[in-house]
Amino acid sequence: MTGRIEHFDIPIWNVHELVSIAQRGFEYLKISISDCIIEEMATQAFGSPHLMQEFCKGICRKNGIEVSSTILKEIFVSQKQLNDLFTEIAAETGRPMFERLSRGPRSRTDRKERRLKNGTNTDIYGVVMQALQHIKPGISSINYEDLRTAMREILDDTLPQINETTRVLEQITKISYDDSASTPVVDWNKDDSTINITDPFFAFYLRWAKNI
């Protein structure tokens, strides 16, 4: 297929484009919602129209909106209600991948347990993943030293050696390939010493999931 396929990047949606999803949908349903709530949803969607649609669907579901109304209906959504919605959606999206990466590859030997400041025990894969959640990154690159700082902040134990951590990052990159994706969800770039979060749903999970 060489010469017959051309690769091109599809840019993420900007906030204005994401806002238009909610505005057009709610207008069709005859729903009025605060502009600041819509803008907050657009900000938290990490450039993903699919996440924005999930937010809108969640609001409609919680308010019993299934069809378009004949009269304009004003719906009040508090910041707490919106935050609760984000948490619910996060739990439905990125948890399987997070747990898969936290388990790491199958090992013939037991990994060393490390104690966290929250009182739980995990191995080095769990430490790395919980450190990423501690940082709460967006669709962005994370400097390796920032990851080490986060690990230090959550650990009530000795910090893993640098070579141990980089080996784990290499394994996480391999594991995080999705069958339908051309890039890993978490991508360790050894040359630049950066960890790239490439998937909006996973970034959203790291930002909003609780008790992980």
Side-chain angles (χ1 to χ4, degrees):
M1 298 298 290
T2 303
R4 299 183 183 181
I5 298 176
E6 181 179 354
H7 295 277
F8 57 94
D9 294 327
I10 300 176
I12 62 174
W13 290 40
N14 61 41
V15 170
H16 176 73
E17 291 169 328
L18 293 169
V19 164
S20 70
I21 292 175
Q23 289 177 335
R24 294 175 66 180
F26 289 146
E27 181 181 359
Y28 176 81
L29 293 170
K30 298 279 195 304
I31 296 173
S32 174
I33 292 180
S34 168
D35 289 341
C36 64
I37 290 296
I38 292 177
E39 289 178 5
E40 176 68 7
M41 291 193 298
T43 300
Q44 295 299 331
F46 294 112
S48 168
H50 304 294
L51 269 174
M52 191 66 180
Q53 290 171 330
E54 286 294 318
F55 301 158
C56 295
K57 182 177 72 175
I59 287 177
C60 290
R61 186 179 64 244
K62 287 183 178 297
N63 288 276
I65 306 297
E66 296 181 354
V67 296
S68 179
S69 175
T70 56
I71 58 174
L72 185 66
K73 181 178 181 180
E74 185 172 358
I75 293 179
F76 174 75
V77 181
S78 69
Q79 187 62 55
K80 182 182 183 306
Q81 289 172 326
L82 188 61
N83 291 350
D84 289 343
L85 176 64
F86 289 157
T87 301
E88 290 175 16
I89 293 174
E92 298 170 358
T93 55
R95 182 178 293 277
M97 177 59 77
F98 184 90
E99 292 179 345
R100 182 181 171 194
L101 298 180
S102 295
R103 287 193 301 269
R106 290 185 177 181
S107 177
R108 295 181 180 178
T109 58
D110 292 336
R111 300 190 187 109
K112 176 183 176 182
E113 281 199 345
R114 299 174 188 273
R115 188 164 182 81
L116 304 180
K117 290 180 180 177
N118 63 11
T120 62
N121 293 325
T122 186
D123 62 20
I124 189 171
Y125 282 87
V127 171
V128 170
M129 294 310 300
Q130 294 213 30
L132 284 176
Q133 195 274 336
H134 183 72
I135 295 172
K136 300 185 184 300
I139 304 297
S140 58
S141 295
I142 304 163
N143 185 276
Y144 175 75
E145 289 305 320
D146 292 336
L147 177 69
R148 296 280 291 180
T149 298
M151 292 170 66
R152 190 177 291 108
E153 290 173 352
I154 67 170
L155 271 170
D156 191 23
D157 203 332
T158 56
L159 196 65
Q161 296 293 321
I162 291 177
N163 65 319
E164 292 181 272
T165 306
T166 55
R167 177 180 53 80
V168 166
L169 289 170
E170 290 171 357
Q171 289 297 320
I172 284 175
T173 296
K174 293 178 182 178
I175 298 169
S176 70
Y177 268 104
D178 184 271
D179 291 340
S180 61
S182 59
T183 57
V185 171
V186 179
D187 186 16
W188 163 242
N189 188 323
K190 185 177 181 180
D191 294 334
D192 295 336
S193 295
T194 56
I195 305 101
N196 301 302
I197 307 298
T198 63
D199 181 75
F201 280 86
F202 193 69
F204 180 74
Y205 180 81
L206 292 176
R207 175 72 59 87
W208 285 101
K210 293 183 177 179
N211 299 320
I212 59 176

